[in-house]
Short mmCIF file of all heavy atoms in Angstrom, two decimals:
data_model
loop_
_atom_site.label_atom_id
_atom_site.label_comp_id
_atom_site.label_asym_id
_atom_site.label_seq_id
_atom_site.Cartn_x
_atom_site.Cartn_y
_atom_site.Cartn_z
N LEU A 251 31.24 157.67 119.13
CA LEU A 251 30.64 156.38 118.52
C LEU A 251 30.16 155.49 119.42
O LEU A 251 29.12 154.97 119.45
CB LEU A 251 31.75 155.83 117.64
CG LEU A 251 31.46 154.44 117.00
CD1 LEU A 251 30.14 154.47 116.19
CD2 LEU A 251 32.61 153.77 116.28
N ALA A 252 30.96 155.16 120.59
CA ALA A 252 30.59 154.13 121.62
C ALA A 252 29.45 154.70 122.30
O ALA A 252 28.43 153.88 122.76
CB ALA A 252 31.86 153.98 122.61
N ALA A 253 29.27 155.98 122.62
CA ALA A 253 28.16 156.49 123.30
C ALA A 253 26.83 156.34 122.43
O ALA A 253 25.78 156.04 122.74
CB ALA A 253 28.36 157.97 123.60
N VAL A 254 27.06 156.58 121.09
CA VAL A 254 25.90 156.43 120.23
C VAL A 254 25.48 154.90 120.11
O VAL A 254 24.23 154.61 120.06
CB VAL A 254 26.43 156.99 118.80
CG1 VAL A 254 25.39 156.45 117.57
CG2 VAL A 254 26.45 158.40 118.76
N LEU A 255 26.43 154.10 119.96
CA LEU A 255 26.07 152.62 119.80
C LEU A 255 25.40 152.18 121.08
O LEU A 255 24.39 151.37 121.04
CB LEU A 255 27.28 151.82 119.52
CG LEU A 255 27.98 151.99 118.11
CD1 LEU A 255 29.29 151.13 118.08
CD2 LEU A 255 27.05 151.80 117.20
N VAL A 256 25.75 152.55 122.28
CA VAL A 256 25.08 152.28 123.45
C VAL A 256 23.79 152.95 123.56
O VAL A 256 22.70 152.36 123.87
CB VAL A 256 25.96 152.85 124.74
CG1 VAL A 256 25.04 152.52 126.06
CG2 VAL A 256 27.18 151.73 124.86
N GLY A 257 23.70 154.23 123.22
CA GLY A 257 22.56 155.02 123.30
C GLY A 257 21.44 154.51 122.28
O GLY A 257 20.22 154.63 122.54
N LEU A 258 21.78 153.92 121.17
CA LEU A 258 20.70 153.52 120.22
C LEU A 258 19.87 152.47 120.80
O LEU A 258 18.77 152.09 120.33
CB LEU A 258 21.40 153.03 119.02
CG LEU A 258 21.95 154.04 117.99
CD1 LEU A 258 22.86 153.42 116.83
CD2 LEU A 258 20.90 154.81 117.37
N ARG A 259 20.33 151.61 121.88
CA ARG A 259 19.63 150.59 122.52
C ARG A 259 18.52 151.18 123.27
O ARG A 259 17.49 150.51 123.58
CB ARG A 259 20.55 149.76 123.32
CG ARG A 259 21.05 148.49 122.61
CD ARG A 259 22.01 148.82 121.50
NE ARG A 259 22.63 147.65 120.97
CZ ARG A 259 23.55 147.63 120.20
NH1 ARG A 259 23.93 148.73 119.58
NH2 ARG A 259 24.05 146.37 119.65
N GLY A 260 18.72 152.46 123.77
CA GLY A 260 17.51 153.12 124.47
C GLY A 260 17.15 152.53 125.81
O GLY A 260 16.04 152.41 126.18
N CYS A 261 18.25 151.98 126.43
CA CYS A 261 18.09 151.38 127.85
C CYS A 261 18.18 152.50 128.81
O CYS A 261 19.26 153.14 129.05
CB CYS A 261 19.09 150.25 127.98
SG CYS A 261 18.95 148.94 126.88
N ALA A 262 17.14 152.49 129.71
CA ALA A 262 17.26 153.54 130.87
C ALA A 262 18.48 153.36 131.76
O ALA A 262 19.06 154.37 132.33
CB ALA A 262 15.94 153.49 131.65
N GLU A 263 18.86 152.11 132.10
CA GLU A 263 19.97 151.90 132.87
C GLU A 263 21.24 152.45 132.37
O GLU A 263 22.33 152.45 133.19
CB GLU A 263 20.15 150.38 133.29
CG GLU A 263 20.35 149.56 132.03
CD GLU A 263 19.03 148.88 131.50
OE1 GLU A 263 17.98 149.68 131.51
OE2 GLU A 263 19.03 147.83 131.09
N ASP A 264 21.39 152.82 131.06
CA ASP A 264 22.59 153.27 130.39
C ASP A 264 22.69 154.81 130.69
O ASP A 264 23.86 155.28 130.51
CB ASP A 264 22.72 153.01 128.95
CG ASP A 264 23.02 151.54 128.83
OD1 ASP A 264 23.72 150.88 129.65
OD2 ASP A 264 22.51 150.96 127.80
N LEU A 265 21.66 155.49 130.98
CA LEU A 265 21.76 156.91 131.15
C LEU A 265 22.75 157.40 132.26
O LEU A 265 23.54 158.27 131.92
CB LEU A 265 20.31 157.45 131.30
CG LEU A 265 19.43 157.63 130.16
CD1 LEU A 265 17.98 157.83 130.58
CD2 LEU A 265 19.87 158.83 129.35
N PRO A 266 22.75 156.81 133.29
CA PRO A 266 23.78 157.20 134.32
C PRO A 266 25.20 156.99 133.87
O PRO A 266 26.01 157.81 134.04
CB PRO A 266 23.44 156.38 135.60
CG PRO A 266 22.04 156.06 135.56
CD PRO A 266 21.72 155.80 133.90
#
Side-chain angles (χ1 to χ4, degrees):
L251 171 62
V254 165
L255 293 176
V256 169
L258 285 171
R259 268 59 177 190
C261 296
E263 59 266 35
D264 287 322
L265 280 165

